[in-house]
């Protein structure tokens, strides 16, 4: 074993994983073998006579995952560099590039450590458990950024993972990890075994890969939607996000949105979907009915008898005292207030509904661990920010129209959380609307990945997804994950389609991320073996 060889193997894994990742089409199956070179490298390190093998494992795995993560989410730099000089933007971008890679690397390091004290297959169970536990952590803690969850890798090949309606994306992560382990075992057997023993692992690997694919393709071809049509319009105003909050007035933006909506709206249109922060003025939710922008919206929707408008809006709520951890003091009035990245539903009635974006981008929209860091409030106030950042709500929401139709409002980044969207569906949502603004990243693969990930939410819930992007890609996705219509990048347009409602609940919607929770528990148990075998058993 030499370091040059293991480095090349680590780079090969990074390349294969990148090549398999969306939005590159037709390459997703490479994920099922992409980690094999890294497993070979780690085995070589483990079998070597060198000292500090744990450090070598960590650095080798870290190289693979840092390069893979950075190559797939390079576009993060585009958004950061818009407000910072290139060097500062680079340093800030290292956080999302490196944090996910660090968790992945830690999973492989734990696998190496566990393998020293247990059998080979217990070590493999540990690898699967540690990896999925790290993915679940990266979905649930305050530094959450689950963009690179392995199961997301099949978003461009959704026909192969129709069984996500049972497992969610963590089923995909499990499949990928198990397939890589079997592929590695097949490689080892091919080198060392003879006759039948040489081919047996290959046959097992083929079954593990082909059976889920065959089952998925059968489900894909046989799935039929119930015909419960609703006519929906989605609007893409294509207003430059860097000009949106000052370069063009809110009234003019509303005029653009209403004109586009009118261009394709028809008598039987029931829903108009406008993008994230379509109404950019901070509107007091408790006084919304007297707000000039709101009156303009009601004038528009009054032209459609059964019409309902769902739009993004920047809103505020005012309190007499500090009612939430995110609320801020207005020194002029002595009152506290929250500002929200929100969705609002408007219809031909006095009923107005709000949903506050809950999955906030760490460090940009919300300070991580706000309770723990509350003592830093005066420091951040001096810097022009707050520990709380934007306000949020603790539970998913459902918008109900006068007709009784339920809609899951999902704002931008929240579309990465399958279980969160599933909770809205469980509460009665019959289709999903994603309102977003993907122009921050420019014409990069970020906007394409974000669109493709929405296909997985459609499969998990068997709901249509209607996507409205201020800039990005808007469109319609059916219950099988097919993109039925989509806009072009950086194009001002409106699209309409008849979508089908669905009230049935999938196994995944009913049970959520069971796989992630189960393997997280197993990960904790197996991780405890390492200190037990290293210290406690020696002492006995």
């Amino acid at each position: 074993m030499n370091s040059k060889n293991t480095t090349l193997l680590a780079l090969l894994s990074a390349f294969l994983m990148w090549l398999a990742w969306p939005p590159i089409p037709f390459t997703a199956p490479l994920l099922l073998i992409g980690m094999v070179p890294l497993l070979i490298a780690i085995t070589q390190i483990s079998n070597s006579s060198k000292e500090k093998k744990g450090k070598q494992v960590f650095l080798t795995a870290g190289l693979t995952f840092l390069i893979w993560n950075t190559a797939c989410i390079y576009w993060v730099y585009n958004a950061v560099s818009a407000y910072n000089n290139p060097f500062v933007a680079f340093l800030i971008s290292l956080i999302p590039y490196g944090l996910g890679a660090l968790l992945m690397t830690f999973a492989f390091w734990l696998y190496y450590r566990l393998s020293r004290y247990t059998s080979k297959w217990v070590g493999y169970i540990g690898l699967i458990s540690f990896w999925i536990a790290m993915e679940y952590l990266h979905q649930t803690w305050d530094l959450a950024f689950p963009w690179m969850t392995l199961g997301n890798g099949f978003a461009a090949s959704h026909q192969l993972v129709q069984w996500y309606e049972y497992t969610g994306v963590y089923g995909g992560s499990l499949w990928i990890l198990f397939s890589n382990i079997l592929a590695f075992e097949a490689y080892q057997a091919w080198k060392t075994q003879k006759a039948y023993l040489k081919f047996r692992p290959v046959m097992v690997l083929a079954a593990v890969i082909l059976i889920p694919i065959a089952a998925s393709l059968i489900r894909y071809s046989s799935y039929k939607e119930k015909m419960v049509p609703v006519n929906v319009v989605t609007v893409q105003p294509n207003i430059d996000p860097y000009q949106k909050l000052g370069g063009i007035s809110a009234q003019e933006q509303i005029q653009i949105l209403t004109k586009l909506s009118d261009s394709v709206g028809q008598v039987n249109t029931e829903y108009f979907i406008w993008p994230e922060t379509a109404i950019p003025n901070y509107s007091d939710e408790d006084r919304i009915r007297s707000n000039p922008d709101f009156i303009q919206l009601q004038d528009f929707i009054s032209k459609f008898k059964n019409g309902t408008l769902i739009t993004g809006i920047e809103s505020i709520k005012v309190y007499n005292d500090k009612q939430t951890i995110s609320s801020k003091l207005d020194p002029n009035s002595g009152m506290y207030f929250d500002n929200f990245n929100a969705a609002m539903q408007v219809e031909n009635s006095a009923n107005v509904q709000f949903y506050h974006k809950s999955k906030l981008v760490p460090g940009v929209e919300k300070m991580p661990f706000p309770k723990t860091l509350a003592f830093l409030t005066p420091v951040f106030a001096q810097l022009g920010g707050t520990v709380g950042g934007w306000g949020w709500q603790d539970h998913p929401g459902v918008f109900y129209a006068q007709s009784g139709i339920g809609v899951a409002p999902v704002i931008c980044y929240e579309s990465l959380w399958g279980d969160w969207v599933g909770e809205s569906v469980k509460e009665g949502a019959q289709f999903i609307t994603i309102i977003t603004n993907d122009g921050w990243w420019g014409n990069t693969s970020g906007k394409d990945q974000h669109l493709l990930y929405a296909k997985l939410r459609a499969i998990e819930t068997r709901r249509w997804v209607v996507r409205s992007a201020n800039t990005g890609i808007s469109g319609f996705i059916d219950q099988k994950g097919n993109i039925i219509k989509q806009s072009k990048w950086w194009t001002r347009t409106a699209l309409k389609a008849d979508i089908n409602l669905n009230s049935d609940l999938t196994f995944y919607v009913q049970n959520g991320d069971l796989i992630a929770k189960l393997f997280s528990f197993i990960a904790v148990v197996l991780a405890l073996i390492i200190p037990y075998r290293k210290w406690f058993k020696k002492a006995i």
Side-chain angles (χ1 to χ4, degrees):
M1 190 276 294
N2 60 71
S3 58
K4 182 178 180 181
N5 185 42
T6 55
T7 298
L8 289 175
L9 287 168
L11 293 173
L12 178 57
S13 267
F15 173 74
L16 289 172
M17 300 288 282
W18 167 79
L19 188 62
W21 204 254
I24 301 173
F26 314 121
T27 57
L30 286 174
L31 289 170
L32 301 171
I33 60 168
M35 291 184 183
V36 172
L38 177 59
L39 288 168
I40 295 170
I42 288 174
T43 301
Q44 290 181 355
I45 294 170
S46 182
N47 293 337
S48 73
S49 58
K50 286 193 172 185
E51 297 182 353
K52 298 182 179 179
K53 290 187 281 189
K55 178 181 177 181
Q56 290 300 315
V57 167
F58 193 90
L59 292 175
T60 302
L63 177 64
T64 294
F65 299 127
L66 180 61
I67 291 175
W68 175 48
N69 272 258
T70 303
C72 292
I73 59 171
Y74 67 92
W75 42 263
V76 169
Y77 173 83
N78 288 40
V80 179
S81 62
Y83 292 105
N84 298 277
N85 69 60
F87 180 70
V88 172
F90 172 74
L91 293 178
I92 295 173
S93 298
L94 287 177
I95 298 173
Y97 296 159
L99 187 56
L102 180 64
L103 294 174
M104 297 171 187
T105 302
F106 192 51
F108 263 74
W109 180 81
L110 284 173
Y111 153 67
Y112 161 75
R113 299 292 297 179
L114 180 66
S115 297
R116 295 182 61 191
Y117 302 112
T118 62
S119 69
K120 176 175 67 176
W121 286 99
V122 171
Y124 286 153
I125 293 171
L127 174 58
I128 293 171
S129 302
F130 297 144
W131 183 284
I132 291 178
M134 293 302 160
E135 287 189 335
Y136 193 53
L137 172 65
H138 211 26
Q139 174 185 299
T140 54
W141 67 342
D142 271 19
L143 294 172
F145 189 66
W147 201 277
M148 296 300 294
T149 298
L150 273 179
N152 289 338
F154 281 92
S157 302
H158 65 283
Q159 298 89 344
L160 306 182
V161 288
Q162 293 292 306
W163 38 268
Y164 276 15
E165 66 179 314
Y166 297 99
T167 69
V169 294
Y170 288 107
S173 295
L174 174 59
W175 185 38
I176 291 166
L177 291 164
F178 189 45
S179 296
N180 273 278
I181 289 168
L182 293 178
F184 172 67
E185 283 294 308
Y187 165 80
Q188 295 281 71
W190 191 265
K191 285 180 57 182
T192 60
Q193 301 294 333
K194 296 180 180 180
Y196 168 71
L197 294 177
K198 192 172 188 175
F199 293 95
R200 184 172 63 180
V202 176
M203 291 186 289
V204 174
L205 172 64
V208 168
I209 291 177
L210 294 177
I211 290 173
I213 289 176
S216 181
L217 292 175
I218 292 170
R219 179 61 170 159
Y220 178 78
S221 62
S222 63
Y223 182 85
K224 303 296 182 185
E225 295 186 9
K226 295 178 181 177
M227 300 304 293
V228 188
V230 172
N231 186 261
V232 180
V233 169
T234 184
V235 180
Q236 181 169 297
N238 199 48
I239 298 169
D240 190 325
Y242 299 105
Q243 301 295 321
K244 182 174 178 59
L245 303 179
I248 180 172
S249 70
Q251 185 177 18
E252 187 176 350
Q253 292 183 48
I254 293 173
Q255 289 173 350
I256 292 170
L257 288 157
T258 55
K259 185 176 180 180
L260 288 167
S261 299
D262 281 330
S263 69
V264 294
Q266 52 196 51
V267 174
N268 67 331
T269 298
E270 294 194 46
Y271 278 93
F272 293 88
I273 312 298
W274 292 0
E276 181 182 16
T277 64
I279 315 301
N281 283 345
Y282 284 113
S283 306
D284 188 338
E285 293 184 9
D286 295 326
R287 296 176 173 82
I288 191 66
R289 291 174 183 80
S290 61
N291 184 289
D293 294 337
F294 178 80
I295 294 171
Q296 196 173 350
L297 301 187
Q298 280 216 307
D299 286 344
F300 159 71
I301 204 66
S302 66
K303 294 179 288 186
F304 301 89
K305 181 180 179 181
N306 298 315
T308 299
L309 169 66
I310 296 176
T311 179
I313 185 172
E314 292 183 321
S315 66
I316 62 171
K317 284 186 72 70
V318 180
Y319 318 112
N320 291 322
D321 50 28
K322 188 173 177 61
Q323 293 189 15
T324 66
I325 193 171
S326 57
S327 59
K328 298 161 279 290
L329 176 66
D330 180 354
N332 296 321
S333 66
M335 305 286 282
Y336 287 83
F337 70 96
D338 264 321
N339 53 294
F340 301 102
N341 184 349
M344 177 176 67
Q345 179 169 288
V346 182
E347 51 190 343
N348 288 305
S349 73
N351 186 33
V352 185
Q353 299 172 57
F354 288 94
Y355 166 74
H356 303 140
K357 183 180 180 183
S358 304
K359 303 297 183 182
L360 300 169
V361 180
V364 177
E365 296 177 317
K366 178 184 178 183
M367 177 60 61
F369 313 109
K371 292 183 180 179
T372 304
L373 298 178
F375 70 95
L376 293 175
T377 300
V379 176
F380 285 101
Q382 290 297 317
L383 295 173
T386 70
V387 170
W390 292 74
W392 65 90
Q393 65 183 64
D394 295 324
H395 302 286
V398 181
F399 285 157
Y400 287 101
Q402 295 180 84
S403 62
I405 296 173
V407 182
V410 179
I411 303 176
C412 189
Y413 177 66
E414 293 182 319
S415 62
L416 298 180
W417 276 261
D419 60 338
W420 181 266
V421 176
E423 284 296 318
S424 292
V425 171
K426 189 189 293 187
E427 294 298 318
Q430 295 161 288
F431 75 92
I432 299 163
T433 177
I434 298 174
I435 60 175
T436 187
N437 187 355
D438 294 344
W440 307 109
W441 313 324
N443 189 13
T444 66
S445 59
K447 71 181 192 310
D448 302 302
Q449 290 169 353
H450 201 197
L451 168 70
L452 293 172
Y453 290 174
K455 295 160 67 174
L456 304 180
R457 304 292 84 80
I459 295 168
E460 289 167 346
T461 62
R462 295 301 182 190
R463 296 294 189 273
W464 274 73
V465 176
V466 182
R467 201 168 189 275
S468 174
N470 172 50
T471 51
I473 305 176
S474 303
F476 297 90
I477 302 171
D478 72 11
Q479 295 171 22
K480 295 197 291 186
N482 298 315
I483 298 176
I484 303 303
K485 284 185 180 180
Q486 70 177 77
S487 68
K488 295 180 180 179
W489 160 255
W490 209 259
T491 301
R492 181 170 291 177
T493 188
L495 305 172
K496 66 179 177 181
D498 288 327
I499 71 171
N500 287 317
L501 305 179
N502 187 13
S503 297
D504 296 336
L505 301 183
T506 64
F507 181 87
Y508 176 73
V509 167
Q510 292 175 315
N511 296 280
D513 289 325
L514 279 179
I515 289 176
K517 294 172 183 176
L518 172 61
F519 279 98
S520 295
F521 174 77
I522 295 173
V524 172
V525 174
L526 292 179
L528 292 174
I529 293 176
I530 299 171
Y532 172 75
R533 293 294 298 272
K534 183 174 182 179
W535 292 301
F536 295 109
K537 194 170 183 181
K538 280 185 178 180
I540 296 175

